[in-house]
Amino acid sequence: MAPQRILCVAEKPSIAKAVAQHLGGGRFITRNVRGNTFVKNYEFDFSFAQWGHCSVTMTSVSGHLTSLDFADRYKKWQTTPPGQLFEAETVIKIDAERKPIADNIQQQARYAKVLFIWTDCDREGEHIGSEVREQARKGNARITVKRARFSNTERTHVIQAAQNPIELDDRQASAVATRIELDLRIGAAFTRLQTLQLQHLGDLLADKVISYGSCQFPTLGFVVERYFRVKNFRPETFWSIKVTYLKEGVKVNFSWNRVHLFDRAVVTIIFEKCLDARLARVTKVQKKPTSKWRPLPLTTVELQMQGSRFLRMDSKKVMKIAEQLYQKGWISYPRTETDQFPPEFSLRSFIEKQTQDNNWGAYAQGLLDGAFRQPRQGRHNDQAHPPIHPVNYVTSSSLSDDERRVYEFVVRRFLACCSEDAKGEATDIEIEWGEEVFHAHGLLVLARNYLDVYVYDKWESSQQLPHFEIGESFEPTEANMMDGKTTAPGYLTEPELIGLMDANGIGTDATMADHVAMIKDREYVAARPKAGGGRNPVREFVPTRLGVALVEGYDNVGLDVSVSKPFLRKEIELKMKAICEGRKTRSEVVHESIEEYREVFGRTQRNIGVLKRSVRKYVFDEDVG
DNA sequence: GCAAGGTC
């Protein structure tokens, strides 16, 4: 009897190849798929515990297979009232460039007994799996469907996954289908409404698409909120007391525990009392070991934040470069939320590969020779990908300048994770002078450890404090009452923006940089290098007049929750979770959310004058009273 | 001409 055929389908070609290599034991045939240069079919034999000795075809899709759009009759902006898009008929299509991939799955499924899905183990992966299943059933209605549970492509892990198939999670797939439908309906309805209404207010906006999206608007909202905090900032004068004491040739500066107060008279009285007391007395002398923790394993969000801070590129660029490095096999998959390495992960073999480098090779060797520490475990695990790490060594001469910087960051971060924390000794001295308490803090770095390789962190010894005894008294060498002014916050920087998006659940690791780029493309915000940032300034975002007009306009339309706030997106996220946990169904959530947004939409439409006035005021400098 | 999410 001929062996059973099994069709395996991964989310992307790289996973298909890695899995084929492990299951095929290095022996497999590669076949091209007509019409697509990336997707390949790998054929090999494998003995499954469940299905016996089988002939396997391992292939992949390339992300989502289908897309959702409105039926043709709703395509014309002029003839479809935007509000109709909340209930307009939608169609699921397979775009022309994905047709060959879909056809391949149909054909391969025809003689297969089992469809074994190897998409990423996250929500989107579950949905992509359901798209694959749909195609496979078109070729073979009776095909058995299973899915693999895996979170990395290490050999033993892959084999373990192959031998323990589980079921596709339809709840997760329908949570994603819900998100897709809501994003389309809400995004398209608001985009058409505001574009059609605002476009002809003046030449500056003519032919411009003024888009709305559940992610791009809150992203804009963060930038505008900070802008107003800067704009409305009024400096306040404060007063403080500073004490210095010259001992053993060291000038020790003591800071006031109250930091500063905003009442000059009060500080003057306090200061007088101190002077009257004349002698200050040492009340606390403490030396204790301290440490600066090594960084956590690298996630995408962290790569984007640190990258836009230290590598002279924006988050979108960092992701593009990381993607290239991944495609070439130098680093692992760059889109991950996981900040913990699996326990069986072969960290040492990846460290080993870095020992040949001129800059950090000796450090890597030092780790292998005994300095290695198991990385800290963060609290995130997407169950799909390990933290970002170097997988192969590449010399800097074979990389572009940008690639070299990102690769170097990934390597240094990885080596730092596998290192000991930096160790130091902290000295704290407290004095009482009059009724006030002042303190001095000193740091002595004893062992730099991870800092030697992770050049992005700074931790330096301070000036060494002289010896003090508890109870010792002295007359301060100098004491001054100082005044100062509170300073305005800065505009939102790119790492801050990425951090806010992450904290508020706006976008995913793979899309955050896109949303940031989108609000720039739409000319809602402008990016510029932060002043005083030296040779390597971080970028900061300032909203354009249009960006301010939109946010302020919506804030005044009379909505319970403005669309520029992250709240509405968060709600969709919670509802997706409810679907995943079986507490709600797709149709319930679509119905609820559409009704909710229809209300927001209706109110916006009725008060469209408010939005228009805001645009006239900010974009066209008109006096709107 | 709309979104956000995958991916090349």
Side-chain angles (χ1 to χ4, degrees):
Chain A
M1 193 177 84
Q4 307 264 28
R5 283 168 182 255
I6 308 287
L7 171 60
C8 298
V9 183
E11 184 163 321
K12 44 191 162 267
S14 60
I15 297 283
K17 188 173 186 182
V19 172
Q21 272 164 344
H22 294 319
L23 299 189
R27 288 181 302 279
F28 56 84
I29 299 166
T30 306
R31 294 191 195 280
N32 286 323
V33 171
R34 192 196 303 258
N36 186 296
T37 48
F38 304 106
V39 173
K40 306 266 187 264
N41 291 341
Y42 301 101
E43 297 173 2
F44 54 89
D45 288 351
F46 185 77
S47 289
F48 290 95
Q50 195 160 354
W51 308 302
H53 189 76
C54 295
S55 144
V56 183
T57 297
M58 175 93 220
T59 187
S60 74
V61 287
S62 185
H64 283 287
L65 206 44
T66 65
S67 56
L68 187 71
D69 205 352
F70 295 109
D72 284 340
R73 62 183 182 283
Y74 300 102
K75 293 259 164 78
K76 289 221 172 62
W77 288 35
Q78 296 301 336
T79 51
T80 304
Q84 232 181 58
L85 297 175
F86 286 113
E87 64 268 341
E89 185 198 345
T90 55
V91 286
I92 295 174
K93 305 183 306 193
I94 296 176
D95 299 337
E97 68 268 25
R98 295 172 184 155
K99 193 76 169 54
I101 304 174
D103 289 346
N104 181 48
I105 290 169
Q106 261 186 55
Q107 280 165 25
Q108 294 296 330
R110 202 151 293 158
Y111 304 103
K113 173 188 163 69
V114 179
L115 167 67
F116 196 5
I117 294 166
W118 287 74
T119 49
D120 294 354
C121 291
D122 52 24
R123 265 189 332 220
E124 298 294 332
E126 230 56 31
H127 184 262
I128 293 168
S130 73
E131 294 176 304
V132 169
R133 175 177 61 191
E134 177 81 18
Q135 285 309 309
R137 282 182 178 158
K138 281 188 194 163
N140 176 356
R142 290 176 21 234
I143 199 164
T144 301
V145 180
K146 293 284 170 186
R147 84 106 74 228
R149 173 163 40 205
F150 68 110
S151 60
N152 62 65
T153 54
E154 288 221 297
R155 188 174 170 277
T156 48
H157 185 73
V158 164
I159 290 170
Q160 167 81 10
Q163 300 297 22
N164 295 280
I166 60 169
E167 300 300 319
L168 202 61
D169 185 344
D170 278 300
R171 286 173 178 172
Q172 288 192 56
S174 62
V176 170
T178 307
R179 193 235 347 119
I180 289 172
E181 182 175 349
L182 292 176
D183 282 338
L184 174 67
R185 292 190 187 282
I186 297 163
F190 277 91
T191 298
R192 289 190 192 182
L193 173 72
Q194 56 187 39
T195 302
L196 293 171
Q197 292 288 337
L198 304 175
Q199 203 169 46
H200 53 78
L201 288 180
D203 286 348
L204 279 171
L205 299 181
D207 302 322
K208 227 174 165 146
V209 173
I210 304 170
S211 61
Y212 169 84
S214 57
C215 288
Q216 45 180 283
F217 251 56
T219 305
L220 168 62
F222 292 131
V223 175
V224 174
E225 190 190 10
R226 179 66 73 86
Y227 164 79
F228 277 117
R229 267 176 54 200
V230 175
K231 189 165 173 274
N232 297 331
F233 178 81
R234 296 287 169 267
E236 257 188 293
T237 306
F238 58 74
W239 287 267
S240 176
I241 301 172
K242 205 173 157 188
V243 177
T244 59
Y245 179 51
L246 189 67
K247 185 175 191 188
E248 296 164 15
V250 180
K251 199 169 143 191
V252 184
N253 294 313
F254 289 92
S255 318
W256 195 16
N257 277 20
R258 296 192 203 233
V259 188
H260 54 234
L261 298 175
F262 293 95
D263 187 323
R264 178 173 191 178
V266 170
V267 177
T268 307
I269 292 167
I270 292 172
F271 185 50
E272 296 287 333
K273 276 191 177 168
C274 291
L275 292 173
D276 287 349
R278 208 173 63 86
L279 287 181
R281 195 168 55 88
V282 177
T283 52
K284 183 175 140 193
V285 176
Q286 193 180 57
K287 274 192 188 209
K288 59 176 182 203
T290 180
S291 55
K292 186 170 173 65
W293 289 359
R294 61 206 194 277
L296 285 169
L298 185 61
T299 62
T300 306
V301 167
E302 183 72 4
L303 172 65
Q304 292 180 40
M305 287 173 66
Q306 302 304 337
S308 55
R309 184 169 289 150
F310 296 119
L311 304 182
R312 255 180 288 165
M313 35 184 116
D314 61 55
S315 56
K316 178 117 179 153
K317 182 87 179 274
V318 172
M319 286 313 291
K320 195 182 143 220
I321 302 287
E323 176 70 30
Q324 285 168 13
L325 291 169
Y326 160 68
Q327 291 301 335
K328 293 179 185 167
W330 306 132
I331 67 169
S332 63
Y333 190 66
R335 290 183 279 274
T336 175
E337 293 170 36
T338 307
D339 52 11
Q340 39 186 250
F341 282 105
E344 73 280 6
F345 209 73
S346 55
L347 296 160
R348 282 168 186 274
S349 72
F350 295 118
I351 297 173
E352 168 77 45
K353 290 183 175 161
Q354 298 298 329
T355 55
Q356 54 191 299
D357 188 84
N358 287 331
N359 290 310
W360 54 77
Y363 187 92
Q365 188 59 51
L367 292 183
L368 295 175
D369 293 344
F372 173 83
R373 293 290 177 277
Q374 190 64 29
R376 291 164 58 202
Q377 300 251 309
R379 286 181 294 110
H380 307 90
N381 194 329
D382 62 19
Q383 299 300 333
H385 305 282
I388 304 168
H389 61 279
V391 290
N392 276 304
Y393 180 74
V394 56
T395 54
S396 57
S397 56
S398 29
L399 296 175
S400 72
D401 211 41
D402 288 338
E403 287 175 332
R404 184 188 55 71
R405 283 208 294 278
V406 173
Y407 182 70
E408 176 172 348
F409 177 77
V410 171
V411 172
R412 288 186 181 276
R413 173 72 172 226
F414 173 67
L415 296 175
C417 285
C418 300
S419 303
E420 180 67 274
D421 297 339
K423 302 285 184 190
E425 184 183 71
T427 307
D428 286 288
I429 295 162
E430 225 168 63
I431 58 170
E432 262 176 38
W433 191 33
E435 283 163 26
E436 295 306 303
V437 181
F438 300 80
H439 64 270
H441 180 79
L443 171 70
L444 176 62
V445 176
L446 297 172
R448 291 179 47 79
N449 297 329
Y450 90 88
L451 293 168
D452 282 334
V453 73
Y454 198 61
V455 294
Y456 316 96
D457 268 3
K458 296 278 172 277
W459 206 50
E460 308 277 343
S461 292
S462 63
Q463 188 189 37
Q464 286 316 288
L465 298 177
H467 182 74
F468 283 93
E469 292 281 345
I470 288 189
E472 165 182 354
S473 308
F474 59 83
E475 186 170 356
T477 316
E478 216 178 301
N480 293 303
M481 196 172 134
M482 335 264 294
D483 61 3
K485 280 188 188 327
T486 54
T487 49
Y491 293 113
L492 205 60
T493 63
E494 181 145 19
E496 286 174 328
L497 178 55
I498 298 279
L500 279 172
M501 294 173 75
D502 184 44
N504 287 281
I506 302 301
T508 68
D509 47 14
T511 62
M512 278 178 197
D514 294 331
H515 299 309
V516 174
M518 175 61 87
I519 61 172
K520 269 188 291 177
D521 275 7
R522 298 291 190 210
E523 296 181 51
Y524 297 162
V525 304
R528 64 181 195 197
K530 193 178 173 78
R535 205 173 61 85
N536 205 355
V538 67
R539 286 158 12 114
E540 62 184 15
F541 293 106
V542 186
T544 61
R545 288 155 169 257
L546 177 59
V548 173
L550 289 171
V551 170
E552 195 174 274
Y554 272 109
D555 285 354
N556 293 333
V557 155
L559 307 172
D560 296 336
V561 186
S562 176
V563 291
S564 68
K565 296 283 186 288
F567 180 78
L568 289 168
R569 179 77 212 180
K570 206 168 246 175
E571 202 171 70
I572 291 183
E573 191 62 33
L574 289 176
K575 288 180 174 172
M576 283 172 75
K577 211 173 233 167
I579 296 174
C580 290
E581 290 163 8
R583 289 181 280 115
K584 279 187 193 295
T585 65
R586 173 179 171 181
S587 59
E588 279 167 13
V589 170
V590 168
H591 184 76
E592 280 173 20
S593 297
I594 288 298
E595 286 316 306
E596 185 182 1
Y597 274 91
R598 212 199 288 273
E599 162 70 23
V600 174
F601 185 88
R603 197 169 290 219
T604 304
Q605 217 168 16
R606 284 193 299 280
N607 296 320
I608 197 73
V610 175
L611 201 55
K612 286 181 174 176
R613 253 202 306 285
S614 184
V615 170
R616 286 205 186 94
K617 172 178 157 193
Y618 284 102
V619 181
F620 300 105
D621 268 333
E622 286 175 32
D623 184 2
V624 293

